[in-house]
Amino acid sequence: MSDIAYLNGEFLPLDQARVSALDRGFIFGDGVYEVIPVYSRRPFRLPEHLRRLQRSLDAIRLGNPVTDAEWTRLIHDLVARHSGEDQSVYLQVTRGVARRDHAFPKEGKPTVFMMSSPLVTPAREQIENGVACITATDYRWLRCDVKSVSLLANCLLRQQAAEAGAVEVVLFRDGCLTEASASNVFVVRGGKLLAPPKDHLILPGITYDVVLELAAAKGIAVELRAIPEQEARGADELWVTSSSKEVLAVTTLDGKPVGNGRPGPMFRTVHQAFQEFKRKVMRHAA
Ligand code: PDD
């Protein structure tokens, strides 16, 4: 039986969901998206995801076709139509169907699509031993703060990582750390937690914010600032964070050990805090 998806006002089997070949999402990658983790059937940080969606829509000058109250209702409805306790809800809004022309159509209705899949979080082995990453030059555009469906550069970079047997590719632009192909990146040096500031060069990650909140609650000193490449390469610890990876220690970078090559003590503290935080969210779901 096919999963249930949502398309333009109706729930239907995913394998029957169809959009026109003239949809600007297909033709131009003209759209934005969100990925929302769901724990115990409760969407995690939903208001924050909806706020970021609005921010992305504003950036591409596309009106939000759905109110926040309606998004919330639709997302809960989609989750209820799936059997898994932990899910990953994907939603996307494109500028809709129009004759091919780069400039926006005068009329037209955005296309709204949602689906849900089982949430796949890191395996125990990856949490205990950390993961391998490679590095590359960040050649994406200059609006990486927009969660755009135009992900060609991210796909090419991520494929490089896949071919190298790595989980992610850590990116540097103009000599400084930005993020990874589908994750934010944190650096630990000299007992401090460092991260690039939220600007146009990185996606403002929802997990990034959670990690900073948990670090503050644990009394960890945090610095949000430009991180030169050499500082990142000489890190005591390196982490990647995202809605699916949660917090994951990077233990080799381009084949060289990060720090002592094991997940570090600050990682263990924040990872544990993240798991406790999740459990708290789940209890509220009951
Ligand atoms: N990716 N940076 C990039 C480029 C991303 O694509 C993502 C998320 C993040 C982390 O954001 P968050 O913590 O809100 O998941 C950072 C999602 C999961 C994806 O594209 O599948």
Side-chain angles (χ1 to χ4, degrees):
M1 200 183 77
S2 172
D3 272 349
I4 296 297
Y6 172 89
L7 182 63
N8 294 332
E10 63 169 331
F11 286 97
L12 75 178
L14 177 58
D15 61 10
Q16 286 171 30
R18 300 270 182 280
V19 288
S20 162
L22 283 177
D23 193 280
R24 289 176 63 97
F26 181 62
I27 295 282
F28 294 120
D30 184 0
V32 297
Y33 76 105
E34 278 296 323
V35 177
I36 305 160
V38 174
Y39 299 117
S40 298
R41 304 191 158 275
R42 192 182 165 92
F44 185 69
R45 297 240 151 166
L46 183 54
E48 288 80 356
H49 279 279
L50 293 179
R51 212 172 300 138
R52 185 172 65 183
L53 173 66
Q54 186 61 56
R55 195 180 173 282
S56 296
L57 287 166
D58 290 345
I60 71 162
R61 297 163 60 191
L62 181 57
N64 195 337
V66 181
T67 63
D68 277 7
E70 187 66 357
W71 275 122
T72 303
R73 197 184 64 74
L74 290 172
I75 290 164
H76 279 101
D77 196 343
L78 183 71
V79 168
R81 290 167 190 260
H82 288 76
S83 56
E85 289 294 295
D86 295 349
Q87 303 177 26
S88 175
V89 169
Y90 175 89
L91 69 87
Q92 104 168 35
V93 182
T94 76
R95 209 178 304 275
V97 179
R99 190 176 57 82
R100 185 179 182 279
D101 178 359
H102 289 62
F104 302 166
K106 295 234 165 18
E107 282 150 42
K109 229 166 79 264
T111 299
V112 178
F113 172 69
M114 287 201 292
M115 62 182 170
S116 183
S117 1
L119 180 66
V120 181
T121 51
R124 180 129 298 280
E125 192 277 327
Q126 292 182 310
I127 296 163
E128 276 164 17
N129 298 324
V131 296
C133 286
I134 59 165
T135 64
T137 297
D138 191 346
Y139 55 72
R140 299 172 302 160
W141 70 331
L142 293 172
R143 288 304 308 273
C144 296
D145 55 320
V146 179
K147 205 159 171 58
S148 159
V149 296
S150 308
L151 287 172
L152 180 56
N154 302 63
C155 292
L156 290 169
L157 289 161
R158 179 62 160 273
Q159 181 60 20
Q160 241 174 281
E163 286 169 10
V167 159
E168 256 291 14
V169 49
V170 172
L171 303 172
F172 297 105
R173 192 197 288 265
D174 298 332
C176 284
L177 172 69
T178 52
E179 55 178 346
S181 73
S183 337
N184 289 111
V185 179
F186 287 82
V187 167
V188 177
R189 262 189 94 132
K192 281 189 196 148
L193 183 60
L194 315 177
K198 285 201 240 173
D199 59 15
H200 62 292
L201 299 180
I202 69 167
L203 185 82
I206 304 297
T207 322
Y208 169 106
D209 284 342
V210 174
V211 163
L212 290 178
E213 286 170 31
L214 295 174
K218 291 282 170 193
I220 294 169
V222 172
E223 276 180 24
L224 302 182
R225 60 164 171 85
I227 302 170
E229 180 168 343
Q230 285 320 311
E231 204 175 346
R233 289 190 184 277
D236 299 324
E237 300 183 27
L238 201 65
W239 313 341
V240 285
T241 70
S242 80
S243 292
S244 55
K245 291 182 204 79
E246 301 181 338
V247 193
L248 202 49
V250 178
T251 43
T252 70
L253 194 62
D254 292 334
K256 299 192 190 77
V258 175
N260 67 4
R262 300 287 310 156
M266 201 183 285
F267 165 75
R268 283 197 294 273
T269 300
V270 170
H271 182 267
Q272 196 190 341
F274 194 96
Q275 298 311 312
E276 280 164 13
F277 186 68
K278 252 169 59 178
R279 277 196 290 276
K280 209 166 79 190
V281 170
M282 289 173 195
R283 269 202 302 278
H284 284 296

